[in-house]
Each structure stands twice: as structure tokens, then as C-alpha cells.
Amino acid sequence: MAIMPKEVQEAFKNVKTFVFATASAQGQPNGNIIGIKRIVDDETVYVSDQFFNKSLANLKENDKVAIIITDGDAGYELYGTARYVDEGPEFEAEKKWVDEYFASKGKAVVAKGGCFVHVDAVYNQTSGPDSGAQIA
């Protein structure tokens, strides 16, 4: 696993939405725009599932994911291994804050699951000579 540099953690916190990419066992890709997320620790992020359809089907076949974030001129790509949860105390803790967020916005949306993504590698996606370089 990789430790996310502080600037990557700040970018992840700052972005309103990001791309969550999955692929089926046969390699069929899917990208999903995600807005509900949080950093668990230096090596793990949580991605909430309200509307995963193709993403969830892919996760059941293939636990490898990519997260692509852009924050101003900076961009990063996180490769990781996802663990989907939809029951138990671990999920209930995540569900609580997600459901409270939607309730505060007056939306009748609830979390149906989520992914703990353990970050395996981080790449720079900022324009320039170091674009594509692994940074963690």
C-alpha cells in the first residue's frame, strides 16, 4: 500500500466530485462520478454508494479501482484495492454520516453500501514533464 502525500489528501478533501473507475473481470471499464467520500487514514479512502449499478457489478468481479481527482491545476490518480461493505458496524458508522449529509440537504437518499479503498499507488496527473510519474 502507498501513503498518500499530504497534497493528495488535501486535493481529495477539496474536490466536490471525482471519477471512480472500475472494470469487469473481462476488462470492460466503467467510470462513475462520486461526491460522497472521506479519508479514513493515510492509506485508505471511503467512497459511498448510493447509485452504483455497473460499478457494483464490476467490484464483485474485480476489486481493483482507480480514483482520478483534479483540484485546480493539480491532478492525481490513485490506484487501489476496494473492499465493498453494506452491513455490519463498520458500514453502519459510514452510513450514519452519509445519511445525515443527505438529510441536511433535504434529499431522501440513503447510503446502500460503500468501498474502503486501500491505496496501492499514487500518480501525478498534473500537466508537465512529471505527468504520469508515480509519487507514492
Side-chain angles (χ1 to χ4, degrees):
M1 290 191 215
I3 304 246
M4 290 181 288
K6 293 296 179 200
E7 66 270 16
V8 174
Q9 292 184 41
E10 284 303 312
F12 187 84
K13 288 178 191 175
N14 290 338
V15 297
K16 184 173 180 171
T17 60
F18 63 92
V19 177
F20 182 65
T22 61
S24 69
Q26 295 75 35
Q28 180 63 45
N30 181 64
N32 201 349
I33 304 298
I34 301 292
I36 308 300
K37 68 344 186 211
R38 72 177 191 87
I39 294 175
V40 176
D41 58 40
D42 290 348
E43 300 174 340
T44 312
V45 298
Y46 181 80
V47 177
S48 185
D49 167 20
Q50 287 72 240
F51 306 110
F52 287 5
N53 291 310
K54 291 180 281 184
S55 295
L56 182 55
N58 286 350
L59 288 166
K60 289 178 180 180
E61 297 178 4
N62 178 1
D63 63 357
K64 297 299 182 186
V65 301
I67 292 173
I68 302 160
I69 56 176
T70 57
D71 184 28
D73 291 333
Y76 305 99
E77 186 173 21
L78 288 66
Y79 288 176
T81 304
R83 181 174 56 86
Y84 189 85
V85 295
D86 60 0
E87 62 184 11
E90 191 176 41
F91 170 64
E92 291 304 322
E94 300 300 334
K95 179 177 175 42
K96 183 177 188 291
W97 73 264
V98 171
D99 292 353
E100 287 173 357
Y101 168 81
F102 282 114
S104 76
K105 301 290 184 191
K107 296 184 178 183
V109 176
V110 296
K112 63 180 188 180
C115 290
F116 288 94
V117 177
H118 296 277
V119 177
D120 299 324
V122 179
Y123 294 87
N124 177 20
Q125 292 299 324
T126 304
S127 296
D130 295 330
S131 184
Q134 185 171 355
I135 58 176

